[in-house]
Amino acid sequence: MGTEMGVFLTFGGMLILIFLFGRALLVPLKIILKLILSSVIGAILIVVINIAGAGFGIAVPVNVITAVTVGVLGIPGAVMLVVLALL
């Protein structure tokens, strides 16, 4: 009867550890996925700015840095990149 209780406690302990470990990894994963999604949306916004600004001579390069900038900062980041492109 003692070994059955030990197996039960070990199994329960492992379930708790798996839950805590999974929970600890889930938070950074959500942040990374949100940053990736925002960067993709930022790249799309830069392309739209380039299409709309073609007649005015405005061109913002689409690369990782500009996409992450717009992804993190949003519309103010896009405005900042347009202003920097005009300088």
Side-chain angles (χ1 to χ4, degrees):
M1 188 145 201
T3 58
E4 293 166 353
M5 186 62 141
V7 169
F8 176 73
L9 289 176
T10 302
F11 182 73
M14 290 305 293
L15 283 177
I16 291 171
L17 282 175
I18 289 171
F19 175 75
L20 292 175
F21 188 66
R23 183 104 172 155
L25 290 177
L26 189 61
V27 172
L29 183 63
K30 283 183 180 180
I31 292 171
I32 290 170
L33 289 176
K34 184 177 179 183
L35 180 62
I36 290 171
L37 179 65
S38 296
S39 296
V40 169
I41 292 170
I44 293 169
L45 183 60
I46 291 171
V47 170
V48 169
I49 289 171
N50 286 339
I51 291 170
F56 302 105
I58 299 172
V60 178
V62 179
N63 56 40
V64 174
I65 295 171
T66 57
V68 170
T69 300
V70 176
V72 171
L73 298 177
I75 293 175
V79 171
M80 178 188 73
L81 289 174
V82 169
V83 169
L84 287 174
L86 292 174
L87 294 177

